[in-house]
Amino acid sequence: MKWTFAPVSRAGWVAIHVEARKLIDTRSARWLQLVMASVGLVLIALAIGLTSARSATLELSVVLAGLALPGAVIAPLLAILAITSDWQHKDVVKFYAVQPKRSVILAAKYIAVTVFAVAVVLVDCVIALLVATVFSWAANVPLVYGAYGSSLWQVVCSVVVGSVSGAAVASALMSTPVAIVFVLAQSTVLDLLIGFIPNIPAAYLQSGTFSSFLSEGGEVIPAVSSALIWIVVPALIGAWRHAKRDVV
């Protein structure tokens, strides 16, 4: 069988552009970004304050972690809004009228979510570098780059995998509040509870296994199992539901 490269059509690029724009210009998305920025600034201030109080060196990876933590939590919520918001307000009717192929719109949502997650990480990286450099110069505190590269890669894996997983779960549930509650419980409660259940391979079932494998390495089979449970299966269910759901 001969495989050929099929470039993205103009309609596909338009759909990606529209979905990417909705991630930054809707009211709910702006509020989430404001919360993300505010929490990040508070965490940066705490990290710098502790460093100044101890008269220690300032590690750039610590500043990046302070900025990236809210990104890792809120990026999946933005992904959920990207997948479900159209259905909540019936906007999907006009989108499907313009682009009848539902798979194109759903794929555009996934691509937009992934690109946005990477953009969040890059912005975090630049802001962390600027803040750390300015504080180091102003307070005459040595700046240590240390494990900045590995810390950045961990943030990339956490944010991107979390966003894609959130989008997949949202596509399967197709309800904004239910998906948000489920994703928050998944990352804060379910993984912890699974780890306490005796006599089961917890790593195979926990959602964080796949992200940890990408950032730190480890066994392949548990990572594949985690990806199947929390990304692939919900994405397939979501694709089927989007194809079958009535938009009228």
Side-chain angles (χ1 to χ4, degrees), residues 178-217:
V178 174
I180 289 176
V181 171
F182 184 86
V183 167
L184 291 176
Q186 166 193 333
S187 58
T188 59
V189 178
L190 290 181
D191 277 2
L192 184 62
L193 292 178
I194 291 173
F196 283 116
I197 300 176
N199 302 322
I200 66 167
Y204 288 74
L205 305 176
Q206 292 171 325
S207 61
T209 303
F210 181 59
S211 176
S212 298
F213 170 78
L214 293 178
S215 60
E216 302 173 6

PDB file of all heavy atoms in Angstrom, residues 178-217:
ATOM      1  N   VAL A 178     -19.533  18.866  34.265  1.00  0.00           N
ATOM      2  CA  VAL A 178     -19.174  17.484  34.593  1.00  0.00           C
ATOM      3  C   VAL A 178     -17.716  17.210  34.235  1.00  0.00           C
ATOM      4  O   VAL A 178     -16.975  16.586  35.006  1.00  0.00           O
ATOM      5  CB  VAL A 178     -20.104  16.495  33.865  1.00  0.00           C
ATOM      6  CG1 VAL A 178     -19.648  15.054  34.092  1.00  0.00           C
ATOM      7  CG2 VAL A 178     -21.538  16.670  34.335  1.00  0.00           C
ATOM      8  N   ALA A 179     -17.281  17.689  33.079  1.00  0.00           N
ATOM      9  CA  ALA A 179     -15.900  17.460  32.653  1.00  0.00           C
ATOM     10  C   ALA A 179     -14.909  18.167  33.570  1.00  0.00           C
ATOM     11  O   ALA A 179     -13.857  17.614  33.918  1.00  0.00           O
ATOM     12  CB  ALA A 179     -15.720  17.927  31.213  1.00  0.00           C
ATOM     13  N   ILE A 180     -15.234  19.398  33.980  1.00  0.00           N
ATOM     14  CA  ILE A 180     -14.335  20.140  34.872  1.00  0.00           C
ATOM     15  C   ILE A 180     -14.199  19.423  36.211  1.00  0.00           C
ATOM     16  O   ILE A 180     -13.084  19.239  36.726  1.00  0.00           O
ATOM     17  CB  ILE A 180     -14.843  21.578  35.063  1.00  0.00           C
ATOM     18  CG1 ILE A 180     -14.641  22.385  33.784  1.00  0.00           C
ATOM     19  CG2 ILE A 180     -14.107  22.255  36.229  1.00  0.00           C
ATOM     20  CD1 ILE A 180     -15.198  23.784  33.850  1.00  0.00           C
ATOM     21  N   VAL A 181     -15.324  19.008  36.782  1.00  0.00           N
ATOM     22  CA  VAL A 181     -15.285  18.302  38.068  1.00  0.00           C
ATOM     23  C   VAL A 181     -14.503  17.000  37.932  1.00  0.00           C
ATOM     24  O   VAL A 181     -13.678  16.653  38.784  1.00  0.00           O
ATOM     25  CB  VAL A 181     -16.711  18.033  38.581  1.00  0.00           C
ATOM     26  CG1 VAL A 181     -16.684  17.106  39.789  1.00  0.00           C
ATOM     27  CG2 VAL A 181     -17.402  19.340  38.936  1.00  0.00           C
ATOM     28  N   PHE A 182     -14.753  16.283  36.858  1.00  0.00           N
ATOM     29  CA  PHE A 182     -14.081  15.001  36.665  1.00  0.00           C
ATOM     30  C   PHE A 182     -12.580  15.176  36.508  1.00  0.00           C
ATOM     31  O   PHE A 182     -11.790  14.441  37.119  1.00  0.00           O
ATOM     32  CB  PHE A 182     -14.646  14.292  35.429  1.00  0.00           C
ATOM     33  CG  PHE A 182     -14.064  12.919  35.208  1.00  0.00           C
ATOM     34  CD1 PHE A 182     -14.612  11.810  35.839  1.00  0.00           C
ATOM     35  CD2 PHE A 182     -12.962  12.738  34.392  1.00  0.00           C
ATOM     36  CE1 PHE A 182     -14.062  10.545  35.651  1.00  0.00           C
ATOM     37  CE2 PHE A 182     -12.408  11.489  34.189  1.00  0.00           C
ATOM     38  CZ  PHE A 182     -12.961  10.386  34.825  1.00  0.00           C
ATOM     39  N   VAL A 183     -12.143  16.141  35.701  1.00  0.00           N
ATOM     40  CA  VAL A 183     -10.710  16.344  35.472  1.00  0.00           C
ATOM     41  C   VAL A 183     -10.009  16.799  36.745  1.00  0.00           C
ATOM     42  O   VAL A 183      -8.897  16.344  37.058  1.00  0.00           O
ATOM     43  CB  VAL A 183     -10.488  17.354  34.326  1.00  0.00           C
ATOM     44  CG1 VAL A 183      -9.035  17.810  34.280  1.00  0.00           C
ATOM     45  CG2 VAL A 183     -10.880  16.739  32.990  1.00  0.00           C
ATOM     46  N   LEU A 184     -10.642  17.705  37.503  1.00  0.00           N
ATOM     47  CA  LEU A 184     -10.040  18.135  38.766  1.00  0.00           C
ATOM     48  C   LEU A 184      -9.943  16.977  39.751  1.00  0.00           C
ATOM     49  O   LEU A 184      -8.937  16.813  40.451  1.00  0.00           O
ATOM     50  CB  LEU A 184     -10.853  19.283  39.367  1.00  0.00           C
ATOM     51  CG  LEU A 184     -10.802  20.619  38.624  1.00  0.00           C
ATOM     52  CD1 LEU A 184     -11.722  21.636  39.279  1.00  0.00           C
ATOM     53  CD2 LEU A 184      -9.368  21.145  38.568  1.00  0.00           C
ATOM     54  N   ALA A 185     -10.996  16.161  39.815  1.00  0.00           N
ATOM     55  CA  ALA A 185     -10.963  14.997  40.696  1.00  0.00           C
ATOM     56  C   ALA A 185      -9.947  13.970  40.216  1.00  0.00           C
ATOM     57  O   ALA A 185      -9.269  13.324  41.016  1.00  0.00           O
ATOM     58  CB  ALA A 185     -12.352  14.362  40.766  1.00  0.00           C
ATOM     59  N   GLN A 186      -9.821  13.844  38.906  1.00  0.00           N
ATOM     60  CA  GLN A 186      -8.869  12.894  38.340  1.00  0.00           C
ATOM     61  C   GLN A 186      -7.438  13.212  38.750  1.00  0.00           C
ATOM     62  O   GLN A 186      -6.669  12.323  39.129  1.00  0.00           O
ATOM     63  CB  GLN A 186      -8.984  12.924  36.816  1.00  0.00           C
ATOM     64  CG  GLN A 186      -7.850  12.245  36.064  1.00  0.00           C
ATOM     65  CD  GLN A 186      -7.872  12.603  34.589  1.00  0.00           C
ATOM     66  OE1 GLN A 186      -8.908  12.918  34.028  1.00  0.00           O
ATOM     67  NE2 GLN A 186      -6.724  12.561  33.964  1.00  0.00           N
ATOM     68  N   SER A 187      -7.067  14.484  38.706  1.00  0.00           N
ATOM     69  CA  SER A 187      -5.691  14.870  38.981  1.00  0.00           C
ATOM     70  C   SER A 187      -5.388  15.014  40.465  1.00  0.00           C
ATOM     71  O   SER A 187      -4.220  14.908  40.870  1.00  0.00           O
ATOM     72  CB  SER A 187      -5.371  16.186  38.265  1.00  0.00           C
ATOM     73  OG  SER A 187      -6.264  17.205  38.691  1.00  0.00           O
ATOM     74  N   THR A 188      -6.410  15.268  41.280  1.00  0.00           N
ATOM     75  CA  THR A 188      -6.151  15.522  42.698  1.00  0.00           C
ATOM     76  C   THR A 188      -6.604  14.401  43.634  1.00  0.00           C
ATOM     77  O   THR A 188      -6.073  14.269  44.731  1.00  0.00           O
ATOM     78  CB  THR A 188      -6.856  16.822  43.140  1.00  0.00           C
ATOM     79  OG1 THR A 188      -8.269  16.695  42.905  1.00  0.00           O
ATOM     80  CG2 THR A 188      -6.320  18.009  42.349  1.00  0.00           C
ATOM     81  N   VAL A 189      -7.598  13.618  43.197  1.00  0.00           N
ATOM     82  CA  VAL A 189      -8.171  12.609  44.094  1.00  0.00           C
ATOM     83  C   VAL A 189      -8.012  11.190  43.551  1.00  0.00           C
ATOM     84  O   VAL A 189      -7.525  10.297  44.244  1.00  0.00           O
ATOM     85  CB  VAL A 189      -9.670  12.905  44.363  1.00  0.00           C
ATOM     86  CG1 VAL A 189     -10.266  11.829  45.261  1.00  0.00           C
ATOM     87  CG2 VAL A 189      -9.836  14.283  44.989  1.00  0.00           C
ATOM     88  N   LEU A 190      -8.428  10.979  42.302  1.00  0.00           N
ATOM     89  CA  LEU A 190      -8.466   9.624  41.765  1.00  0.00           C
ATOM     90  C   LEU A 190      -7.093   8.963  41.747  1.00  0.00           C
ATOM     91  O   LEU A 190      -6.943   7.808  42.153  1.00  0.00           O
ATOM     92  CB  LEU A 190      -9.059   9.640  40.352  1.00  0.00           C
ATOM     93  CG  LEU A 190     -10.554   9.950  40.244  1.00  0.00           C
ATOM     94  CD1 LEU A 190     -11.008   9.921  38.798  1.00  0.00           C
ATOM     95  CD2 LEU A 190     -11.365   8.965  41.074  1.00  0.00           C
ATOM     96  N   ASP A 191      -6.085   9.678  41.260  1.00  0.00           N
ATOM     97  CA  ASP A 191      -4.739   9.099  41.217  1.00  0.00           C
ATOM     98  C   ASP A 191      -4.259   8.724  42.615  1.00  0.00           C
ATOM     99  O   ASP A 191      -3.607   7.688  42.810  1.00  0.00           O
ATOM    100  CB  ASP A 191      -3.756  10.087  40.581  1.00  0.00           C
ATOM    101  CG  ASP A 191      -3.789  10.013  39.059  1.00  0.00           C
ATOM    102  OD1 ASP A 191      -4.597   9.236  38.525  1.00  0.00           O
ATOM    103  OD2 ASP A 191      -3.004  10.725  38.414  1.00  0.00           O
ATOM    104  N   LEU A 192      -4.574   9.587  43.590  1.00  0.00           N
ATOM    105  CA  LEU A 192      -4.163   9.314  44.973  1.00  0.00           C
ATOM    106  C   LEU A 192      -4.879   8.092  45.522  1.00  0.00           C
ATOM    107  O   LEU A 192      -4.263   7.217  46.145  1.00  0.00           O
ATOM    108  CB  LEU A 192      -4.448  10.536  45.846  1.00  0.00           C
ATOM    109  CG  LEU A 192      -4.000  10.464  47.310  1.00  0.00           C
ATOM    110  CD1 LEU A 192      -2.486  10.318  47.379  1.00  0.00           C
ATOM    111  CD2 LEU A 192      -4.457  11.692  48.071  1.00  0.00           C
ATOM    112  N   LEU A 193      -6.180   8.003  45.280  1.00  0.00           N
ATOM    113  CA  LEU A 193      -6.941   6.862  45.777  1.00  0.00           C
ATOM    114  C   LEU A 193      -6.490   5.560  45.120  1.00  0.00           C
ATOM    115  O   LEU A 193      -6.405   4.514  45.783  1.00  0.00           O
ATOM    116  CB  LEU A 193      -8.437   7.084  45.529  1.00  0.00           C
ATOM    117  CG  LEU A 193      -9.103   8.201  46.335  1.00  0.00           C
ATOM    118  CD1 LEU A 193     -10.565   8.327  45.950  1.00  0.00           C
ATOM    119  CD2 LEU A 193      -8.959   7.944  47.831  1.00  0.00           C
ATOM    120  N   ILE A 194      -6.209   5.608  43.831  1.00  0.00           N
ATOM    121  CA  ILE A 194      -5.737   4.414  43.127  1.00  0.00           C
ATOM    122  C   ILE A 194      -4.442   3.903  43.741  1.00  0.00           C
ATOM    123  O   ILE A 194      -4.220   2.700  43.872  1.00  0.00           O
ATOM    124  CB  ILE A 194      -5.550   4.708  41.631  1.00  0.00           C
ATOM    125  CG1 ILE A 194      -6.905   4.918  40.961  1.00  0.00           C
ATOM    126  CG2 ILE A 194      -4.805   3.571  40.926  1.00  0.00           C
ATOM    127  CD1 ILE A 194      -6.820   5.391  39.519  1.00  0.00           C
ATOM    128  N   GLY A 195      -3.580   4.837  44.156  1.00  0.00           N
ATOM    129  CA  GLY A 195      -2.313   4.441  44.757  1.00  0.00           C
ATOM    130  C   GLY A 195      -2.470   3.748  46.093  1.00  0.00           C
ATOM    131  O   GLY A 195      -1.583   2.998  46.508  1.00  0.00           O
ATOM    132  N   PHE A 196      -3.605   3.973  46.768  1.00  0.00           N
ATOM    133  CA  PHE A 196      -3.833   3.347  48.076  1.00  0.00           C
ATOM    134  C   PHE A 196      -4.533   2.002  47.987  1.00  0.00           C
ATOM    135  O   PHE A 196      -4.622   1.289  48.982  1.00  0.00           O
ATOM    136  CB  PHE A 196      -4.651   4.287  48.971  1.00  0.00           C
ATOM    137  CG  PHE A 196      -3.864   5.421  49.555  1.00  0.00           C
ATOM    138  CD1 PHE A 196      -4.163   6.738  49.228  1.00  0.00           C
ATOM    139  CD2 PHE A 196      -2.818   5.179  50.423  1.00  0.00           C
ATOM    140  CE1 PHE A 196      -3.438   7.782  49.760  1.00  0.00           C
ATOM    141  CE2 PHE A 196      -2.080   6.221  50.970  1.00  0.00           C
ATOM    142  CZ  PHE A 196      -2.389   7.521  50.634  1.00  0.00           C
ATOM    143  N   ILE A 197      -5.065   1.669  46.818  1.00  0.00           N
ATOM    144  CA  ILE A 197      -5.754   0.387  46.673  1.00  0.00           C
ATOM    145  C   ILE A 197      -4.724  -0.739  46.619  1.00  0.00           C
ATOM    146  O   ILE A 197      -3.837  -0.716  45.764  1.00  0.00           O
ATOM    147  CB  ILE A 197      -6.623   0.364  45.404  1.00  0.00           C
ATOM    148  CG1 ILE A 197      -7.688   1.465  45.466  1.00  0.00           C
ATOM    149  CG2 ILE A 197      -7.289  -1.008  45.237  1.00  0.00           C
ATOM    150  CD1 ILE A 197      -8.530   1.575  44.218  1.00  0.00           C
ATOM    151  N   PRO A 198      -4.812  -1.713  47.517  1.00  0.00           N
ATOM    152  CA  PRO A 198      -3.809  -2.777  47.546  1.00  0.00           C
ATOM    153  C   PRO A 198      -3.991  -3.786  46.412  1.00  0.00           C
ATOM    154  O   PRO A 198      -5.087  -3.958  45.883  1.00  0.00           O
ATOM    155  CB  PRO A 198      -4.032  -3.448  48.911  1.00  0.00           C
ATOM    156  CG  PRO A 198      -5.487  -3.198  49.198  1.00  0.00           C
ATOM    157  CD  PRO A 198      -5.812  -1.864  48.599  1.00  0.00           C
ATOM    158  N   ASN A 199      -2.893  -4.412  46.058  1.00  0.00           N
ATOM    159  CA  ASN A 199      -2.890  -5.542  45.122  1.00  0.00           C
ATOM    160  C   ASN A 199      -3.376  -5.184  43.720  1.00  0.00           C
ATOM    161  O   ASN A 199      -3.958  -6.029  43.020  1.00  0.00           O
ATOM    162  CB  ASN A 199      -3.743  -6.700  45.666  1.00  0.00           C
ATOM    163  CG  ASN A 199      -3.254  -7.185  47.026  1.00  0.00           C
ATOM    164  OD1 ASN A 199      -2.053  -7.237  47.284  1.00  0.00           O
ATOM    165  ND2 ASN A 199      -4.196  -7.519  47.893  1.00  0.00           N
ATOM    166  N   ILE A 200      -3.170  -3.933  43.288  1.00  0.00           N
ATOM    167  CA  ILE A 200      -3.452  -3.573  41.899  1.00  0.00           C
ATOM    168  C   ILE A 200      -2.251  -2.814  41.336  1.00  0.00           C
ATOM    169  O   ILE A 200      -1.535  -2.143  42.079  1.00  0.00           O
ATOM    170  CB  ILE A 200      -4.718  -2.698  41.769  1.00  0.00           C
ATOM    171  CG1 ILE A 200      -4.487  -1.324  42.429  1.00  0.00           C
ATOM    172  CG2 ILE A 200      -5.936  -3.383  42.334  1.00  0.00           C
ATOM    173  CD1 ILE A 200      -5.550  -0.317  42.076  1.00  0.00           C
ATOM    174  N   PRO A 201      -1.998  -2.930  40.041  1.00  0.00           N
ATOM    175  CA  PRO A 201      -0.885  -2.185  39.428  1.00  0.00           C
ATOM    176  C   PRO A 201      -1.270  -0.717  39.251  1.00  0.00           C
ATOM    177  O   PRO A 201      -1.767  -0.303  38.194  1.00  0.00           O
ATOM    178  CB  PRO A 201      -0.696  -2.897  38.087  1.00  0.00           C
ATOM    179  CG  PRO A 201      -2.041  -3.455  37.766  1.00  0.00           C
ATOM    180  CD  PRO A 201      -2.682  -3.803  39.076  1.00  0.00           C
ATOM    181  N   ALA A 202      -1.063   0.077  40.275  1.00  0.00           N
ATOM    182  CA  ALA A 202      -1.548   1.459  40.284  1.00  0.00           C
ATOM    183  C   ALA A 202      -0.999   2.270  39.117  1.00  0.00           C
ATOM    184  O   ALA A 202      -1.722   3.090  38.528  1.00  0.00           O
ATOM    185  CB  ALA A 202      -1.181   2.124  41.605  1.00  0.00           C
ATOM    186  N   ALA A 203       0.265   2.054  38.760  1.00  0.00           N
ATOM    187  CA  ALA A 203       0.878   2.842  37.693  1.00  0.00           C
ATOM    188  C   ALA A 203       0.162   2.647  36.365  1.00  0.00           C
ATOM    189  O   ALA A 203       0.145   3.544  35.512  1.00  0.00           O
ATOM    190  CB  ALA A 203       2.351   2.472  37.548  1.00  0.00           C
ATOM    191  N   TYR A 204      -0.448   1.469  36.167  1.00  0.00           N
ATOM    192  CA  TYR A 204      -1.162   1.198  34.927  1.00  0.00           C
ATOM    193  C   TYR A 204      -2.457   1.999  34.830  1.00  0.00           C
ATOM    194  O   TYR A 204      -2.982   2.216  33.734  1.00  0.00           O
ATOM    195  CB  TYR A 204      -1.494  -0.290  34.821  1.00  0.00           C
ATOM    196  CG  TYR A 204      -0.302  -1.167  34.534  1.00  0.00           C
ATOM    197  CD1 TYR A 204       0.636  -1.442  35.518  1.00  0.00           C
ATOM    198  CD2 TYR A 204      -0.118  -1.733  33.276  1.00  0.00           C
ATOM    199  CE1 TYR A 204       1.727  -2.254  35.268  1.00  0.00           C
ATOM    200  CE2 TYR A 204       0.967  -2.553  33.014  1.00  0.00           C
ATOM    201  CZ  TYR A 204       1.895  -2.809  34.013  1.00  0.00           C
ATOM    202  OH  TYR A 204       2.982  -3.602  33.763  1.00  0.00           O
ATOM    203  N   LEU A 205      -2.996   2.439  35.956  1.00  0.00           N
ATOM    204  CA  LEU A 205      -4.310   3.064  35.996  1.00  0.00           C
ATOM    205  C   LEU A 205      -4.260   4.569  36.261  1.00  0.00           C
ATOM    206  O   LEU A 205      -5.227   5.264  35.977  1.00  0.00           O
ATOM    207  CB  LEU A 205      -5.170   2.400  37.086  1.00  0.00           C
ATOM    208  CG  LEU A 205      -5.328   0.881  36.987  1.00  0.00           C
ATOM    209  CD1 LEU A 205      -6.123   0.369  38.182  1.00  0.00           C
ATOM    210  CD2 LEU A 205      -6.011   0.486  35.685  1.00  0.00           C
ATOM    211  N   GLN A 206      -3.165   5.068  36.823  1.00  0.00           N
ATOM    212  CA  GLN A 206      -3.090   6.477  37.184  1.00  0.00           C
ATOM    213  C   GLN A 206      -2.886   7.356  35.959  1.00  0.00           C
ATOM    214  O   GLN A 206      -2.118   7.021  35.052  1.00  0.00           O
ATOM    215  CB  GLN A 206      -1.967   6.700  38.195  1.00  0.00           C
ATOM    216  CG  GLN A 206      -2.239   6.078  39.552  1.00  0.00           C
ATOM    217  CD  GLN A 206      -1.035   6.128  40.470  1.00  0.00           C
ATOM    218  OE1 GLN A 206       0.104   6.004  40.032  1.00  0.00           O
ATOM    219  NE2 GLN A 206      -1.289   6.325  41.755  1.00  0.00           N
ATOM    220  N   SER A 207      -3.543   8.503  35.952  1.00  0.00           N
ATOM    221  CA  SER A 207      -3.467   9.393  34.794  1.00  0.00           C
ATOM    222  C   SER A 207      -2.103  10.059  34.650  1.00  0.00           C
ATOM    223  O   SER A 207      -1.714  10.455  33.544  1.00  0.00           O
ATOM    224  CB  SER A 207      -4.555  10.466  34.901  1.00  0.00           C
ATOM    225  OG  SER A 207      -4.365  11.257  36.068  1.00  0.00           O
ATOM    226  N   GLY A 208      -1.377  10.209  35.761  1.00  0.00           N
ATOM    227  CA  GLY A 208      -0.085  10.887  35.694  1.00  0.00           C
ATOM    228  C   GLY A 208       1.058  10.023  35.216  1.00  0.00           C
ATOM    229  O   GLY A 208       2.167  10.538  34.991  1.00  0.00           O
ATOM    230  N   THR A 209       0.835   8.735  35.021  1.00  0.00           N
ATOM    231  CA  THR A 209       1.920   7.834  34.627  1.00  0.00           C
ATOM    232  C   THR A 209       2.482   8.192  33.262  1.00  0.00           C
ATOM    233  O   THR A 209       3.702   8.188  33.055  1.00  0.00           O
ATOM    234  CB  THR A 209       1.426   6.375  34.616  1.00  0.00           C
ATOM    235  OG1 THR A 209       0.915   6.040  35.903  1.00  0.00           O
ATOM    236  CG2 THR A 209       2.567   5.430  34.271  1.00  0.00           C
ATOM    237  N   PHE A 210       1.614   8.494  32.311  1.00  0.00           N
ATOM    238  CA  PHE A 210       2.075   8.791  30.949  1.00  0.00           C
ATOM    239  C   PHE A 210       2.909  10.063  30.918  1.00  0.00           C
ATOM    240  O   PHE A 210       3.968  10.110  30.280  1.00  0.00           O
ATOM    241  CB  PHE A 210       0.871   8.922  30.012  1.00  0.00           C
ATOM    242  CG  PHE A 210       1.237   9.202  28.588  1.00  0.00           C
ATOM    243  CD1 PHE A 210       2.047   8.333  27.875  1.00  0.00           C
ATOM    244  CD2 PHE A 210       0.771  10.340  27.947  1.00  0.00           C
ATOM    245  CE1 PHE A 210       2.388   8.587  26.553  1.00  0.00           C
ATOM    246  CE2 PHE A 210       1.096  10.609  26.632  1.00  0.00           C
ATOM    247  CZ  PHE A 210       1.912   9.724  25.933  1.00  0.00           C
ATOM    248  N   SER A 211       2.456  11.092  31.603  1.00  0.00           N
ATOM    249  CA  SER A 211       3.208  12.348  31.653  1.00  0.00           C
ATOM    250  C   SER A 211       4.556  12.146  32.337  1.00  0.00           C
ATOM    251  O   SER A 211       5.579  12.668  31.880  1.00  0.00           O
ATOM    252  CB  SER A 211       2.396  13.412  32.385  1.00  0.00           C
ATOM    253  OG  SER A 211       3.128  14.602  32.529  1.00  0.00           O
ATOM    254  N   SER A 212       4.577  11.392  33.425  1.00  0.00           N
ATOM    255  CA  SER A 212       5.833  11.116  34.134  1.00  0.00           C
ATOM    256  C   SER A 212       6.800  10.332  33.257  1.00  0.00           C
ATOM    257  O   SER A 212       8.011  10.561  33.280  1.00  0.00           O
ATOM    258  CB  SER A 212       5.551  10.336  35.419  1.00  0.00           C
ATOM    259  OG  SER A 212       4.741  11.093  36.294  1.00  0.00           O
ATOM    260  N   PHE A 213       6.258   9.401  32.466  1.00  0.00           N
ATOM    261  CA  PHE A 213       7.106   8.618  31.563  1.00  0.00           C
ATOM    262  C   PHE A 213       7.777   9.519  30.518  1.00  0.00           C
ATOM    263  O   PHE A 213       8.970   9.382  30.231  1.00  0.00           O
ATOM    264  CB  PHE A 213       6.276   7.543  30.875  1.00  0.00           C
ATOM    265  CG  PHE A 213       6.990   6.834  29.769  1.00  0.00           C
ATOM    266  CD1 PHE A 213       7.920   5.843  30.050  1.00  0.00           C
ATOM    267  CD2 PHE A 213       6.739   7.158  28.440  1.00  0.00           C
ATOM    268  CE1 PHE A 213       8.595   5.192  29.027  1.00  0.00           C
ATOM    269  CE2 PHE A 213       7.412   6.518  27.418  1.00  0.00           C
ATOM    270  CZ  PHE A 213       8.342   5.527  27.706  1.00  0.00           C
ATOM    271  N   LEU A 214       7.017  10.454  29.958  1.00  0.00           N
ATOM    272  CA  LEU A 214       7.583  11.344  28.949  1.00  0.00           C
ATOM    273  C   LEU A 214       8.642  12.272  29.535  1.00  0.00           C
ATOM    274  O   LEU A 214       9.644  12.576  28.883  1.00  0.00           O
ATOM    275  CB  LEU A 214       6.474  12.186  28.310  1.00  0.00           C
ATOM    276  CG  LEU A 214       5.450  11.430  27.453  1.00  0.00           C
ATOM    277  CD1 LEU A 214       4.398  12.398  26.938  1.00  0.00           C
ATOM    278  CD2 LEU A 214       6.124  10.704  26.301  1.00  0.00           C
ATOM    279  N   SER A 215       8.435  12.728  30.766  1.00  0.00           N
ATOM    280  CA  SER A 215       9.351  13.703  31.359  1.00  0.00           C
ATOM    281  C   SER A 215      10.527  13.070  32.090  1.00  0.00           C
ATOM    282  O   SER A 215      11.623  13.642  32.119  1.00  0.00           O
ATOM    283  CB  SER A 215       8.588  14.611  32.329  1.00  0.00           C
ATOM    284  OG  SER A 215       7.998  13.844  33.373  1.00  0.00           O
ATOM    285  N   GLU A 216      10.307  11.892  32.670  1.00  0.00           N
ATOM    286  CA  GLU A 216      11.357  11.297  33.501  1.00  0.00           C
ATOM    287  C   GLU A 216      11.787   9.905  33.048  1.00  0.00           C
ATOM    288  O   GLU A 216      12.773   9.371  33.557  1.00  0.00           O
ATOM    289  CB  GLU A 216      10.863  11.212  34.954  1.00  0.00           C
ATOM    290  CG  GLU A 216      10.460  12.559  35.537  1.00  0.00           C
ATOM    291  CD  GLU A 216       9.831  12.427  36.905  1.00  0.00           C
ATOM    292  OE1 GLU A 216       9.813  11.295  37.433  1.00  0.00           O
ATOM    293  OE2 GLU A 216       9.350  13.441  37.437  1.00  0.00           O
ATOM    294  N   GLY A 217      11.022   9.298  32.133  1.00  0.00           N
ATOM    295  CA  GLY A 217      11.336   7.931  31.722  1.00  0.00           C
ATOM    296  C   GLY A 217      10.674   6.920  32.644  1.00  0.00           C
ATOM    297  O   GLY A 217       9.960   7.270  33.576  1.00  0.00           O
TER     298      GLY A 217
END
